[in-house]
Amino acid sequence: MVGKKSGRALFKEEGLQRTDNDMEFTIWPQVPMINQKNYYTEFLKRDDQALAVRLQQEAHLNARKKAAVDIDRARAQAAYDGVPYAEANPLDEDLVMDDVGDENYGLKTIVMHVGSQNLRIGLATDALPKTIPMVIARLADRPEAEDGEPRPKRVKLDYSAPPEEWFGDEFASEYSSMAQDFKTSRRTNKRRVLPNSRELVTKWNAATPPEIIPEHSDPMRIDWTEMPQDPKQAPHYIVGASALRIPEKSKPRYRLRWPIRHGSLNEKDYDSRTMLEQDFFQILEHALIHELGLERKNDWAQYSCVFIIPDLYEKVMVSRVLEEFVRVFGFQRICFLQESTAATFGAGFGIACIVDIGAQKTSISCVEDGMVLEDSRINLKYGGYDVTETFAKMMLFDSFNYSEFNLMRRHDFLLAEELKNRFTTMSDENISVQLFDFHLRAFEEKTKKYSFKIYDEGTLAPMGYFRPAIFDHSDKLTGRHTIVPRSTDLYNGHPNDPLSKAQLDVVSYVNRNVPSAVMAAPTQAARPLPTPMRPTPSKNRPLGLPSHLNGDTDGTPRSSPAATPPPEDLGTPHPTGDEANGDEISDLKVAQPDTELIDRTVPVMPLETAILASIHHATALPHPETDRRRRDLLGGIILVGGASKTPYLNSFLEAKLRQAMPQYPKEILVAMPPRDLDPAVLVWKGGSVFGKLRMTNDSWISPLEYDRLGSRILNYKCIWHW
């Protein structure tokens, strides 16, 4: 076998000489190996590498270019006309180009604030918003009053039974306890208390029938929504105040639906997510067309929208609103603003504790320098509607002569709201047995004038804010997350809706003190939902292997056949100690929450206790000026929301807080909104102030950004931690 010859042998024997021409074996570039010991990358390490930031910088640069061109054109025109040019806005790096010109940026900015009972909408330049009931009526076989049980709920529907037995022993015991405590407090305040006041009320109401008034003698008769003669020409849906004025026995029949319930999507009264979202956006679209006069949808592309969301929001709902506004409504840009932040904008406060009492939800948050302090956020599931229902229940308990009171009927609901606004107060100065009257007006029925007496019902009903056990919590969690899934983390499958330590304090309080707000465990699953489970950890996991890749740790989502709805506030370890005192920073013990128990807990807490818990968690972190911040928050408590207009509620709450915090006798101050602003529209007013700011704030989302990143753009655009 002949071996390989060397180059010298080939040259001597055959005259062949090997030469090097410096040519590579391939034209493809050779990538050297990465030195893993000193590995480094700049990927997404700078702000200008993020799409949202790049687009904002490009828009700012284009605005500067446009302003420079306009100034050059003005200079040339002035030179042509032979007049000196007065340069009012010289170009420099500190000048915001959006301020060049006289355009009113709020003129084409729509501000929306959606509540459980009302929608407030208007342009940012409007002094006050338009208020529309957040209700839609659709064609149906039967109205809502014929399908559901009457409200307030009766344990016994037999009207021949004594009224004291209609609502069960639990309500009777709590009502009697509240009345006795109220009588004791009045005597302490040197008020006159008659021993038989309750008996005088019940005897009068039980023995006084209504007075019939002919229709032509009633100057305040209701203008009901007229239906066409031909039922086939009736509209498929009616929105707002007109829906509440549809007669119960109209032809054809309509059924009222409220898409928002307790501050979130109403899954209790809907069987389809598509229908729920359709009703929600149909109300918004109707308001844009009929209230703001934007009849042509092609013009909506010229408008921006500020959408106000709760402090403890649901990511699925926010993402869905963003998608609809971009894809269907076609707004030029959209931004989201939290309620408490908007309230501070409207009130002009730099630091405050915002207490927003709505129709079915009360939210409490501490705000400092335009940012909501995350651990201070509280969402309570009670509001003005609970006071309305409890007031009606108390009057029925005291032999109210209109025993058929049913809030599911439209005219009774409007009547109950009227009675609450007239007779509820937090002042005990003029509490005595008094005679009042009201008129019951129903479609195609003669007007009935009822004369009735009340004693302390008008004060005890709003007292439920401080003793929430008197409210009915039996169905407030019915249907939660059965048709609208909860947002979950992409990597571990855990729920990732925002959660706060203060909210977990509320859950702990309910489980200890309000048994009626803890729902019974479901016996059978309505429909299976994937829920995270904690598997048994493996003892033989290879060293260095990440837990989420091994498959045997608590980071891996597992599916479960259980259909327990995901929790209202779930996700992270929470303190298990007593509720915060507010004067000391206690050591927080971290424990794993009972997931099943949180799922079934209605978050309610006395209002003054919830405020102190929120302020405590807002100032719990060590800080050199912690005591000063706590004093500023205690002195900046602002009551907003429609239900906060109960007379003397602010002074009563202030007295409760001072009683709970005697070490701050002068610092505590509960104030109504400044400048005589309506508390019901203050949040919207703050959104309008935010909407009139120049385009330099980076919270606006454009359709281009949404097309590129989808709902992930919210991570970059929200002015809080998404």
Side-chain angles (χ1 to χ4, degrees):
M1 181 176 181
V2 180
K4 184 178 179 181
K5 295 183 178 181
S6 65
R8 182 178 297 179
L10 288 176
F11 178 73
K12 289 182 177 180
E13 296 178 3
E14 301 181 8
L16 298 177
Q17 185 177 3
R18 184 174 180 177
T19 59
D20 190 1
N21 56 9
D22 296 329
M23 294 184 64
E24 300 290 343
F25 289 103
T26 177
I27 62 174
W28 290 96
Q30 300 295 317
V31 180
M33 298 291 293
I34 297 177
N35 185 356
Q36 298 184 2
K37 293 183 179 180
N38 299 312
Y39 181 71
Y40 177 78
T41 179
E42 293 187 353
F43 180 67
L44 293 181
K45 293 292 181 66
R46 301 191 307 270
D47 290 341
D48 57 1
Q49 293 176 335
L51 174 65
V53 178
R54 293 205 314 271
L55 293 176
Q56 180 186 355
Q57 292 176 348
E58 291 175 4
H60 181 70
L61 180 60
N62 292 335
R64 291 188 62 85
K65 291 179 180 179
K66 180 179 180 299
V69 171
D70 293 340
I71 292 176
D72 291 342
R73 185 180 293 111
R75 287 173 178 169
Q77 184 65 35
Y80 179 79
D81 296 337
V83 297
Y85 173 71
E87 190 169 344
N89 295 306
L91 286 176
D92 54 32
E93 293 299 327
D94 297 331
L95 177 65
V96 179
M97 287 298 102
D98 300 322
D99 293 334
V100 178
D102 299 328
E103 182 182 358
N104 190 342
Y105 285 97
L107 188 61
K108 291 191 175 182
T109 301
I110 302 168
V111 182
M112 296 185 186
H113 183 206
V114 177
S116 301
Q117 191 163 308
N118 291 305
L119 163 68
R120 292 180 173 87
I121 186 173
L123 298 177
T125 53
D126 293 342
L128 294 173
K130 305 290 193 305
T131 300
I132 305 102
M134 193 66 188
V135 62
I136 184 171
R138 290 192 178 273
L139 293 172
D141 297 333
R142 293 180 298 177
E144 65 280 359
E146 297 180 6
D147 268 354
E149 58 181 327
R151 304 294 296 254
K153 291 184 177 180
R154 277 83 161 174
V155 176
K156 290 185 178 181
L157 293 176
D158 184 11
Y159 291 106
S160 61
E164 296 84 358
E165 301 178 1
W166 289 357
F167 306 107
D169 297 336
E170 184 177 353
F171 175 80
S173 175
E174 186 68 20
Y175 183 28
S176 301
S177 175
M178 291 180 65
Q180 185 62 36
D181 293 345
F182 182 64
K183 184 185 298 184
T184 302
S185 66
R186 295 200 68 207
R187 287 175 177 169
T188 304
N189 296 332
K190 308 300 183 182
R191 304 291 189 189
R192 184 182 177 185
V193 179
L194 297 178
N196 60 340
S197 299
R198 189 77 61 193
E199 290 77 9
L200 294 176
V201 171
T202 55
K203 288 181 180 180
W204 171 272
N205 291 340
T208 305
E211 176 186 353
I212 306 299
I213 300 178
E215 183 177 359
H216 63 274
S217 300
D218 182 13
M220 303 295 293
R221 57 181 179 271
I222 297 177
D223 294 331
W224 301 96
T225 301
E226 296 183 1
M227 294 289 109
Q229 297 292 335
D230 186 3
K232 296 182 180 179
Q233 299 179 358
H236 293 284
Y237 66 89
I238 301 176
V239 175
S242 300
L244 293 175
R245 294 300 186 184
I246 300 176
E248 299 282 345
K249 299 180 180 180
S250 63
K251 294 182 181 179
R253 299 290 184 91
Y254 283 85
R255 181 185 181 92
L256 297 187
R257 295 185 182 273
W258 302 81
I260 302 296
R261 183 170 180 264
H262 299 296
S264 56
L265 292 175
N266 181 9
E267 301 175 65
K268 174 180 178 293
D269 299 328
Y270 285 85
D271 298 327
S272 168
R273 178 182 179 182
T274 302
M275 194 64 188
L276 171 58
E277 294 178 349
Q278 180 180 353
D279 284 356
F280 176 76
F281 291 112
Q282 191 72 58
I283 296 175
L284 302 185
E285 181 179 339
H286 182 274
L288 288 172
I289 295 175
H290 295 87
E291 300 297 333
L292 300 186
L294 305 179
E295 299 181 358
R296 297 179 54 189
K297 288 189 176 181
N298 293 335
D299 297 338
W300 294 3
Q302 305 174 11
Y303 287 81
S304 305
C305 180
V306 177
F307 193 83
I308 302 174
I309 62 175
D311 300 330
L312 285 175
Y313 51 87
E314 295 183 348
K315 290 188 175 182
V316 170
M317 181 178 178
V318 177
S319 301
R320 186 67 184 88
V321 169
L322 176 59
E323 179 185 7
E324 189 77 10
F325 282 1
V326 172
R327 303 297 189 197
V328 180
F329 285 58
F331 289 137
Q332 181 183 13
R333 52 181 187 158
I334 306 101
C335 90
F336 296 96
L337 187 65
Q338 290 175 299
E339 288 177 338
S340 295
T341 303
T344 56
F345 270 89
F349 279 53
I351 180 171
C353 178
I354 304 298
V355 182
D356 187 353
I357 308 177
Q360 300 179 6
K361 172 183 68 71
T362 297
S363 62
I364 305 170
S365 295
C366 296
V367 184
E368 184 177 15
D369 296 333
M371 296 293 293
V372 175
L373 304 179
E374 294 184 355
D375 286 336
S376 69
R377 294 175 292 179
I378 290 180
N379 188 308
L380 305 176
K381 300 301 183 184
Y382 61 67
Y385 178 80
D386 294 270
V387 174
T388 303
E389 184 179 23
T390 304
F391 183 49
K393 188 184 294 187
M394 289 179 175
M395 291 192 298
L396 290 170
F397 188 90
D398 294 335
S399 302
F400 191 51
N401 43 12
Y402 181 36
S403 58
E404 296 83 10
F405 214 143
N406 181 9
L407 297 182
M408 296 296 292
R409 289 200 293 255
R410 297 155 198 173
H411 58 271
D412 282 354
F413 171 75
L414 298 174
L415 173 63
E417 289 290 327
E418 176 188 351
L419 295 179
K420 180 191 71 172
N421 295 331
R422 287 175 57 188
F423 303 125
T424 56
T425 178
M426 295 302 298
S427 173
D428 65 342
E429 182 178 359
N430 299 318
I431 297 298
S432 62
V433 178
Q434 302 182 52
L435 178 63
F436 299 101
D437 60 67
F438 70 90
H439 293 78
L440 176 64
R441 299 176 175 91
F443 183 69
E444 294 184 344
E445 295 183 8
K446 294 182 178 180
T447 302
K448 298 179 181 179
K449 180 181 179 180
Y450 284 85
S451 298
F452 68 100
K453 288 186 177 181
I454 60 173
Y455 173 48
D456 55 1
E457 297 92 333
T459 301
L460 295 182
M463 197 79 71
Y465 294 141
F466 308 92
R467 296 186 62 166
I470 194 66
F471 293 151
D472 183 9
H473 310 294
S474 59
D475 60 351
K476 290 185 177 180
L477 292 184
T478 303
R480 290 289 291 131
H481 298 297
T482 54
I483 61 176
V484 180
R486 174 179 281 279
S487 176
T488 56
D489 189 90
L490 180 63
Y491 297 100
N492 56 25
H494 293 169
N496 62 352
D497 282 335
L499 183 66
S500 68
K501 294 179 180 178
Q503 185 73 12
L504 290 172
D505 279 356
V506 175
V507 175
S508 178
Y509 174 88
V510 172
N511 292 314
R512 295 195 310 267
N513 302 287
V514 192
S516 62
V518 181
M519 307 294 105
T523 57
Q524 185 177 0
R527 62 168 63 93
L529 290 175
T531 57
M533 296 182 62
R534 181 182 294 275
T536 304
S538 174
K539 297 182 180 180
N540 298 322
R541 188 179 71 187
L543 295 177
L545 184 62
S547 60
H548 65 278
L549 297 178
N550 193 42
D552 57 358
T553 61
D554 49 58
T556 304
R558 305 283 180 170
S559 60
S560 169
T564 302
E568 185 62 29
D569 294 286
L570 168 67
T572 58
H574 67 286
T576 59
D578 295 335
E579 58 266 22
N581 295 324
D583 56 340
E584 296 180 358
I585 301 176
S586 60
D587 295 332
L588 301 179
K589 298 180 180 179
V590 178
Q592 184 67 21
D594 186 346
T595 302
E596 183 180 356
L597 190 60
I598 296 178
D599 291 349
R600 300 182 282 107
T601 302
V602 181
V604 293
M605 179 184 272
L607 189 58
E608 78 280 8
T609 308
I611 293 174
L612 295 179
S614 176
I615 294 177
H616 166 74
H617 286 287
T619 59
L621 295 178
H623 193 276
E625 299 183 353
T626 295
D627 186 67
R628 183 190 62 82
R629 293 176 61 192
R630 185 180 296 118
R631 292 174 185 271
D632 291 342
L633 291 172
L634 289 172
I637 301 173
I638 306 178
L639 283 178
V640 301
S644 68
K645 294 191 288 186
T646 303
Y648 301 99
L649 176 60
N650 59 329
S651 58
F652 187 88
L653 175 59
E654 187 175 303
K656 279 281 190 180
L657 290 171
R658 289 181 176 176
Q659 181 181 359
M661 301 283 290
Q663 65 272 33
Y664 296 105
K666 299 181 180 180
E667 288 82 357
I668 296 177
L669 177 63
V670 179
M672 301 300 287
R675 300 187 298 274
D676 296 329
L677 290 174
D678 185 359
V681 302
L682 181 69
V683 174
W684 181 93
K685 191 66 177 179
S688 69
V689 172
F690 184 83
K692 286 185 288 187
L693 296 177
R694 302 302 184 181
M695 296 176 60
T696 51
N697 74 78
D698 56 354
S699 58
W700 293 104
I701 301 174
S702 65
L704 174 61
E705 293 169 327
Y706 183 80
D707 289 340
R708 299 283 181 86
L709 297 178
S711 59
R712 291 178 297 166
I713 191 64
L714 292 168
N715 293 313
Y716 302 97
K717 290 295 187 174
C718 290
I719 59 177
W720 67 91
H721 177 66
W722 171 257

